[in-house]
Amino acid sequence: MMENGQSLPTVAEADNDVYDSTTEPRAELYQPSVARIKTDTAMNAQKGGLVIFTANSNPSCMALAKRISERLGVVLGKVQVYQEANRETRVQIQESVRGKDVFIIQTVSKDVNTAIMEFLIMVYACKTSCARSIIGVIPYFPYSKQCKMRKRGSIVSKLVASMMCKAGLNHLITMDLHQKEIQGFFNIPVDNLRASPFLLQYIQEEIPDYRNAVIVAKSPSSAKRAQSFAERLRLGIAVIHGEAQDAESDLVDGRHSPPTVKNVGAIHPSLDIPFVIPKEKPPITVVGDVGGRIAIIVDDIIDDVDSFLAAADTLKERGAYKIYVMATHGILSCDAPRLIEESAINEVVVTNTIPHEIQKLQCPKIKTVDISMILSEAIRRIHNGESMSYLFRNIGVDD
């Protein structure tokens, strides 16, 4: 109680004072105030403390962790992560974590398997060191594309999730999972944050005459994401249909692998299984008008850029005079920077969930949007026991 008899505002009331749910979500709303950080620092001392580790032995992957720790006003925990001569991963935690909330930030580099092992070993080391809770911060969840059964393959993202839970992880913070159903692979809470407020802000502030733009889905599978962007920006939408078959189509799914020749005798003489007609892609068509407009292609991951280049060529043929690509995770493998530089794409905008400084040096068209703000706010709220719903305002199930 205050001296004049008035009670202090609750967390929900404080949230309502700084955020209007009727407005569009903007990135600056995730910026915690200086007074709040100072108050939280005092709370940390009372509650046993907050420790942030980065589980990566690659220096280029530590930039995001440093940004997050600076925003929270804490120093990164002392830990050694390195590779032995025989390529085994060794982790040495160099400060006490007993009774503390430990947040382990892991950004995935090109060596995905090493990054996973570093994370698992550090989680287990914190568990055996009696940490009160262990929260993983993995902005790009590895193996997220392998979340469906492919013939005689396996659902690898389910395996990775099981290993993390078994190692001792209590909570996971990630961003824009390739499929939202991946959250069901875990038996712990998973917060799947969104990068769309930051990308929307970039479009509004950095793309001149964005009101003359159209949001493009390079395939029907990404139409929902494009629709979400278009509705928030009050823009039109276009969908490219009939592109070349990709690796994630239904034709490579194990449930769609019938024999190419109807041969019931090879199964059983008494069975007459109906023959499934194979799918056939139509010629490439663009559903929607892009002539004389700015085309903004949106997706969650940009890795192999062939499909993006094909979409850009198609949009250029249909009259689009500028082409932007917006994606959350910029993996940009192999020759992606060179191919982008030589293509009709004017700019590729990705977030810093994955380090790509080398790719930016190879291709000036690649731009980066910082998302450390929302990750640091998520860490602060989880540590203080506050609601996470503030970070999901105006975000629907299909977003």
Side-chain angles (χ1 to χ4, degrees):
M1 297 288 292
M2 300 177 64
E3 292 181 358
N4 57 6
Q6 296 179 351
S7 60
L8 290 172
T10 64
V11 172
E13 291 170 346
D15 285 350
N16 292 334
D17 288 341
V18 299
Y19 188 91
D20 183 4
S21 62
T22 62
T23 61
E24 291 296 324
R26 293 179 62 83
E28 60 262 22
L29 294 177
Y30 298 126
Q31 177 67 54
S33 64
V34 175
R36 177 181 286 183
I37 291 177
K38 289 181 178 179
T39 303
D40 293 342
T41 305
M43 291 177 64
N44 292 343
Q46 297 175 3
K47 296 175 67 175
L50 163 70
V51 181
I52 298 179
F53 289 125
T54 176
N56 212 303
S57 58
N58 189 342
S60 65
C61 297
M62 298 176 62
L64 180 60
K66 291 179 180 178
R67 284 176 177 266
I68 293 173
S69 63
E70 288 172 0
R71 288 185 180 277
L72 291 171
V74 300
V75 180
L76 284 176
K78 298 177 182 179
V79 61
Q80 274 190 329
V81 183
Y82 58 95
Q83 309 296 321
E84 297 278 10
N86 60 358
R87 301 300 298 166
E88 288 185 359
T89 300
R90 184 174 291 274
V91 173
Q92 293 287 345
I93 297 176
Q94 298 178 322
E95 63 179 83
S96 174
V97 297
R98 182 179 295 272
K100 296 182 179 181
D101 293 330
V102 178
F103 291 82
I104 303 175
I105 302 172
Q106 179 67 312
T107 50
V108 179
S109 61
K110 287 186 177 181
D111 194 351
V112 179
N113 298 327
T114 298
I116 292 174
M117 284 306 302
E118 289 172 346
F119 181 78
L120 293 175
I121 294 173
M122 180 168 288
V123 169
Y124 189 67
C126 293
K127 177 184 177 182
T128 55
S129 299
C130 300
R132 181 172 64 177
S133 62
I134 306 169
I135 300 94
V137 183
I138 308 179
Y140 170 67
F141 188 74
Y143 287 98
S144 60
K145 283 189 173 183
Q146 299 188 45
C147 59
K148 296 181 180 179
M149 179 64 74
R150 308 294 185 190
K151 293 187 178 180
R152 297 175 184 86
S154 60
I155 307 177
V156 184
S157 55
K158 166 64 174 175
L159 173 63
V160 175
S162 300
M163 290 192 297
M164 290 181 179
C165 295
K166 189 67 175 178
L169 196 67
N170 303 122
H171 197 143
L172 177 67
I173 302 173
T174 187
M175 179 166 284
D176 281 340
L177 288 170
H178 187 56
Q179 297 289 339
K180 299 177 183 64
E181 292 77 10
I182 294 176
Q183 296 174 83
F185 296 161
F186 292 84
N187 55 13
I188 58 174
V190 177
D191 288 313
N192 182 28
L193 302 177
R194 306 295 196 274
S196 55
F198 299 90
L199 297 177
L200 290 168
Q201 182 179 355
Y202 184 93
I203 292 173
Q204 293 173 320
E205 296 179 356
E206 302 296 333
I207 298 181
D209 195 23
Y210 81 93
R211 289 296 182 185
N212 189 36
V214 58
I215 306 298
V216 179
K218 68 180 181 66
S219 64
S221 61
S222 57
K224 283 187 177 181
R225 180 181 296 271
Q227 181 182 359
S228 174
F229 273 68
E231 290 175 351
R232 281 172 165 75
L233 295 170
R234 279 61 169 173
L235 300 176
I237 183 174
V239 180
I240 300 176
H241 181 50
E243 75 278 8
Q245 191 67 45
D246 58 22
E248 290 195 307
S249 68
D250 288 340
L251 290 180
V252 297
D253 196 320
R255 298 166 296 175
H256 295 269
S257 55
T260 55
V261 180
K262 184 178 179 181
N263 185 7
V264 295
I267 303 173
H268 194 277
S270 62
L271 294 179
D272 189 10
I273 300 177
F275 178 65
V276 179
I277 301 173
K279 294 180 180 179
E280 182 177 345
K281 286 280 185 178
I284 293 179
T285 56
V286 179
V287 182
D289 182 23
V290 297
R293 312 282 288 276
I294 299 172
I296 304 176
I297 305 173
V298 297
D299 211 337
D300 62 328
I301 299 173
I302 177 169
D303 186 5
D304 182 8
V305 298
D306 290 343
S307 60
F308 290 92
L309 302 183
D313 292 338
T314 301
L315 294 170
K316 206 72 174 178
E317 293 173 1
R318 299 302 193 279
Y321 72 92
K322 273 189 179 181
I323 300 172
Y324 291 81
V325 175
M326 315 285 293
T328 303
H329 309 296
I331 302 177
L332 302 169
S333 301
C334 301
D335 293 333
R338 179 182 62 81
L339 294 173
I340 292 172
E341 185 66 24
E342 298 172 354
S343 70
I345 298 174
N346 295 90
E347 199 168 276
V348 174
V349 183
V350 294
T351 70
N352 56 344
T353 56
I354 299 174
H356 49 263
E357 295 302 321
I358 296 177
Q359 290 89 333
K360 288 179 66 176
L361 295 175
Q362 297 172 342
C363 178
K365 292 182 179 181
I366 301 174
K367 308 298 180 182
T368 306
V369 175
D370 181 28
I371 45 81
S372 63
M373 188 185 300
I374 188 172
L375 293 175
S376 60
E377 180 66 4
I379 291 174
R380 188 193 68 80
R381 286 177 171 270
I382 291 174
H383 175 60
N384 292 334
E386 299 178 20
S387 172
M388 291 288 288
S389 61
Y390 171 76
L391 304 181
F392 294 95
R393 296 283 184 95
N394 293 335
I395 294 178
V397 176
D398 295 331
D399 290 338

